[in-house]
Amino acid sequence: MDFKWTIALAAGLSAACTQTPTTETTDSSTSVAPPAVTEAEVETVSVTEYPAALFHETTSYSLGSSSGFVFSPEGDTILASTDASGIFNAITLDAEGSVTPLTTSDTNAIYARSFFPNDTRVLVSSDTGGNEISHVYVREADGTLTDLTPGEETRASFVGWRDDGQVFYVATNERNATTDDLYAYSAEDYSRDMLFENSGMSLADVSPDGRWVALTKERTSADSDIYLVDLYEETPEPKLITEHVDDIAYGVYDFTADSETLIYATNEFGEFNQAWTYNLVSGERSALIEADWDVSFVFDSPTGRYLVSAINEDAVTDLTIHDNETGEDVSLSGIPDGELGQIRFNGDESMIAFGVNTDTSPFNLYLADLETGEATRLTNALPDAIDEDDLVTATVVRYPSFDGLEIPGIFYMPQQASADNPVPALVWVHGGPGGQSTKGYSATIQHLVNHGYAVLAANNRGSSGYGKTFFHMDDRNHGEKDLQDIVWARTYLEGVEGIDPDKIGIIGGSYGGFMTAAALAFEPEAFDVGINIFGVTNWLRTLESIPPWWGSFRDALYDEMGDPATDEERLRRISPLFHADNIVKPMLVIQGANDPRVLQVESDELVAAARENGATVEYVLFPDEGHGFQKRENRITASEAFVTFLDTYLKGEMKTDAIQEASASEGAAE
């Protein structure tokens, strides 16, 4: 599993445009150009435009951790998180979809992780204002929260349960801010023992019986190893199990249910990640899943009867549930033709909970009987006031870059578009740098398309999902060759029927925000406008100020991006801040004040520098967000700002008042 540093956005902006292993097969055929809309079709199309507030009334759902108990001890409810209240809280749902709130926060997002196996207690996690310093809590039977990992700078995460249900595992960096140690907590009284003191590797998994710990170590951006720790030994020490020469990336998928085998990822045998098995006693290895695309994930059901796996096939995740007892794949009925994910089994493995999303329908939760395959929908995430027929299904396309390299992308064409009614377009740049834009629902993108903006989510060189050669083409080339892939996306769009070739902008978050600022600074005539969302503008400062908990892969990060101590000239050359005097096209900047990855000063200084040189810059600062949007009201404000800015400066309709009002209400820096 190739390592790639990622500063991709947190929840709330681009769920459909980052690689997420939560989906199942749809048609993934590609085309050189999207199908044109004929004049006859335009005459029959009537599209209602909806405000951002309605799109972001879309309710987000996610099930509890795959390492936890998602079904209650009685099996009559499932554990999930939802932002139905405007911010994420923990809930339960019964078989009819009736919701019982477990937490009622209106400030900080709270995410459900696991039921306790024998009572009504629940494990949840939460940070403060998006600062990513999460703590693990027990939601007690009386509804109170007990912080298991106190400490202002302590960052903790739930790891899983031992198979007897008496112990659960938590990783924290309380001893050393740069690395996570592994603790075992008693389910009875929360007393704990340190199981493994980490020396700077990444904790990957713990075997169900609690004997084995899997660790990964990134040596470079293209080379990584797996270590195993046998906790039954008198002095447990990590043992390297992937000794190799040359660049090979290894990663951990899962331990098997019987704790006898590790399922791991490797790209040793070709361009893509394959799934292999390693016997923990004999050391014997064998291939498990080989495909012409990356194997995204593999895991056993709790008893081992079912094997769940997924292939990332051209930006669509093809998920399979294989019944080892019958030798057949599970077939489900009563679900839409979309992407299926977050498979969670009940105690006796007679039922599963899961979710399905499509390009035009958000992630909805379902229950299914594994004997009959019949599924029941529990949620309705899309607001009733939105007609799904007004939304747009994406197409997988490809276009040539400056050097002839084929660049894949996900294309959304407004239904309003035609040769006689050409629409403006946006090139959407994903986070990462090693992310991937995929098919699936995005409220933000659908809002843009609904308001008449075509969107091409380009997977420039360096994106994951297209093989290790493509993945590493941007190493030490960030803001250079990958930027040209984005510039050439405009050339492609200019030739698409129904696109106005004179009105094409760029938008991106996180690394995509950097690419937006870079396009405006280094290719100032390439795009007509730009929207920079939480984007890096000064790589020297960003690499010097990475969060301490990223310490386990600092070397790999510097290998890919450059070491600020030795590569100052190059990092300064590709940093938009130092070239802001080149920015001449209108720019909208969005920033969270609590962002630990891209500090607020990054946006403050870019805005000031561009304005000083006479550029038109709008700035919206959210005082209660980090690297992404956790609060619905902020997602609405941002999406409305996007459309108002584009209507003003790309369509030329001059509607700046709404942006200025948003800037004032959110405390924008001036």
Side-chain angles (χ1 to χ4, degrees):
M1 187 175 299
D2 277 315
F3 168 79
K4 228 7 158 160
W5 180 52
T6 179
I7 52 174
L9 285 176
L13 176 62
S14 54
C17 289
T18 54
Q19 185 176 353
T20 53
T22 58
T23 51
E24 155 134 334
T25 308
T26 60
D27 179 15
S28 59
S29 59
T30 63
S31 61
V32 175
V37 180
T38 68
E39 184 175 352
E41 289 172 328
V42 171
E43 290 176 354
T44 63
V45 170
S46 176
V47 177
T48 301
E49 288 192 352
Y50 304 102
L54 193 54
F55 274 102
H56 288 289
E57 282 181 17
T58 296
T59 305
S60 298
Y61 295 96
S62 64
L63 292 169
S65 170
S66 59
S67 301
F69 297 104
V70 170
F71 283 81
S72 64
E74 297 80 11
D76 56 351
T77 60
I78 59 171
L79 182 65
S81 306
T82 180
D83 66 349
S85 67
I87 191 168
F88 276 94
N89 276 282
I91 62 168
T92 61
L93 298 99
D94 65 18
E96 282 71 47
S98 296
V99 172
T100 300
L102 298 181
T103 62
T104 56
S105 174
D106 59 5
T107 53
N108 298 314
I110 299 177
Y111 297 96
R113 300 306 180 196
S114 176
F115 278 115
F116 276 63
N118 299 310
D119 57 61
T120 58
R121 290 174 295 167
V122 171
L123 288 167
V124 300
S125 65
S126 181
D127 70 0
T128 301
N131 67 359
E132 300 185 21
I133 302 177
S134 293
H135 288 196
V136 176
Y137 300 82
V138 177
R139 194 265 189 188
E140 306 285 358
D142 63 3
T144 59
L145 295 178
T146 300
D147 188 352
L148 299 179
T149 54
E152 187 173 335
E153 299 300 324
T154 296
R155 186 173 187 266
S157 59
F158 169 70
V159 176
W161 286 86
R162 198 169 66 196
D163 57 10
D164 61 10
Q166 296 180 12
V167 165
F168 59 92
Y169 306 112
V170 173
T172 89
N173 69 345
E174 63 193 78
R175 179 187 61 85
N176 182 338
T178 66
T179 192
D180 285 335
D181 299 324
L182 182 67
Y183 291 84
Y185 281 74
S186 165
E188 182 179 359
D189 61 8
Y190 314 146
S191 60
R192 67 175 192 171
D193 295 305
M194 182 189 286
L195 294 183
F196 177 68
E197 184 176 306
N198 197 355
S199 59
M201 290 182 270
S202 298
L203 293 170
D205 202 6
V206 182
S207 62
D209 64 1
R211 175 175 178 176
W212 301 93
V213 177
L215 306 159
T216 58
K217 177 64 176 177
E218 290 79 20
R219 298 165 60 184
T220 70
S221 66
D223 192 7
S224 54
D225 277 312
I226 299 173
Y227 292 78
L228 284 174
V229 180
D230 184 351
L231 295 178
Y232 286 7
E233 291 182 347
E234 185 174 344
T235 307
E237 293 291 341
K239 171 189 173 184
L240 177 66
I241 66 166
T242 53
E243 189 169 345
H244 64 278
V245 295
D246 300 324
D247 286 342
I248 302 174
Y250 294 93
V252 172
Y253 288 127
D254 192 26
F255 285 99
T256 54
D258 58 11
S259 296
E260 294 181 358
T261 302
L262 178 71
I263 306 173
Y264 69 94
T266 178
N267 64 4
E268 179 179 2
F269 305 102
E271 281 291 312
F272 297 97
N273 288 325
Q274 300 177 356
W276 281 62
T277 60
Y278 175 88
N279 185 284
L280 297 172
V281 175
S282 69
E284 182 180 351
R285 303 167 194 268
S286 60
L288 179 64
I289 301 174
E290 301 169 282
D292 293 330
W293 299 93
D294 280 333
V295 178
S296 298
F297 59 87
V298 186
F299 64 89
D300 257 357
S301 65
T303 69
R305 174 174 174 174
Y306 298 95
L307 183 72
V308 181
S309 62
I311 308 297
N312 177 9
E313 185 175 348
D314 208 12
V316 177
T317 302
D318 180 2
L319 187 144
T320 301
I321 305 173
H322 183 74
D323 187 337
N324 293 317
E325 189 174 290
T326 66
E328 303 289 333
D329 293 341
V330 173
S331 178
L332 299 175
S333 61
I335 60 175
D337 183 17
E339 299 190 325
L340 181 151
Q342 296 190 14
I343 310 297
R344 307 290 188 261
F345 292 85
N346 71 345
D348 63 7
E349 297 189 354
S350 62
M351 300 282 293
I352 56 171
F354 61 96
V356 180
N357 98 108
T358 72
D359 289 349
T360 59
S361 177
F363 193 71
N364 277 301
L365 300 182
Y366 289 76
L367 284 177
D369 184 311
L370 285 173
E371 183 175 350
T372 66
E374 184 177 345
T376 301
R377 180 165 145 177
L378 304 180
T379 63
N380 185 19
L382 189 70
D384 292 338
I386 293 180
D387 183 347
E388 193 172 337
D389 289 340
D390 287 329
L391 306 185
V392 170
T393 297
T395 306
V396 179
V397 301
R398 283 174 166 77
Y399 64 90
S401 188
F402 70 99
D403 56 359
L405 181 69
E406 191 175 71
I407 305 300
I410 312 298
F411 186 76
Y412 301 78
M413 177 67 99
Q415 296 186 41
Q416 306 95 309
S418 70
D420 294 331
N421 182 39
V423 298
L426 298 168
V427 179
W428 180 288
V429 192
H430 61 64
Q436 181 190 27
S437 287
T438 64
K439 283 172 64 68
Y441 184 81
S442 165
T444 300
I445 289 179
Q446 288 290 351
H447 179 232
L448 290 168
V449 177
N450 177 249
H451 282 255
Y453 293 94
V455 175
L456 173 60
N459 284 315
N460 52 270
R461 70 190 69 202
S463 301
S464 57
Y466 304 100
K468 61 187 179 185
T469 300
F470 189 88
F471 187 70
H472 289 288
M473 281 183 174
D474 69 339
D475 290 359
R476 300 292 179 108
N477 272 306
H478 303 92
E480 296 174 317
K481 290 183 178 179
D482 59 354
L483 177 59
Q484 291 307 309
D485 297 339
I486 299 305
V487 171
W488 277 66
R490 173 167 189 146
T491 302
Y492 168 76
L493 287 170
E494 288 174 341
V496 174
E497 184 176 316
I499 299 294
D500 186 338
D502 298 321
K503 296 181 178 180
I504 299 175
I506 180 172
I507 180 173
S510 196
Y511 186 81
F514 155 68
M515 292 281 272
T516 296
L520 297 179
F522 303 125
E523 296 283 349
E525 298 300 326
F527 295 99
D528 300 297
V529 298
I531 299 177
N532 164 14
I533 310 161
F534 313 129
V536 176
T537 66
N538 179 351
W539 281 109
L540 286 168
R541 178 170 48 220
T542 294
L543 293 172
E544 289 171 345
S545 61
I546 63 172
W549 54 86
W550 288 9
S552 63
F553 52 86
R554 181 188 298 268
D555 291 344
L557 166 60
Y558 285 180
D559 173 71
E560 179 184 352
M561 296 296 306
D563 186 335
T566 58
D567 297 311
E568 179 178 354
E569 185 278 329
R570 178 183 173 273
L571 294 172
R572 181 177 290 272
R573 187 177 76 246
I574 67 170
S575 296
L577 175 64
F578 303 118
H579 309 274
D581 56 339
N582 294 332
I583 297 175
V584 295
K585 296 299 176 68
M587 177 173 61
L588 171 63
V589 177
I590 305 290
Q591 177 68 43
N594 300 324
D595 193 334
R597 306 185 186 200
V598 179
L599 303 179
Q600 179 187 328
V601 67
E602 297 274 317
S603 293
D604 289 350
E605 291 185 353
L606 180 69
V607 168
R611 284 176 173 171
E612 184 177 346
N613 289 292
T616 298
V617 183
E618 304 285 354
Y619 188 17
V620 182
L621 174 67
F622 294 94
D624 54 352
E625 294 285 10
H627 200 65
F629 299 111
Q630 293 189 340
K631 295 183 177 180
R632 174 181 291 149
E633 62 181 335
N634 293 338
R635 293 196 292 273
I636 293 169
T637 298
S639 282
E640 290 288 14
F642 298 161
V643 168
T644 301
F645 173 82
L646 294 169
D647 286 350
T648 300
Y649 298 108
L650 196 56
K651 283 185 178 177
E653 296 177 358
M654 301 306 293
K655 300 177 180 178
T656 59
D657 289 348
I659 301 177
Q660 292 167 354
E661 290 173 7
S663 300
S665 65
E666 296 302 331
E670 294 296 333

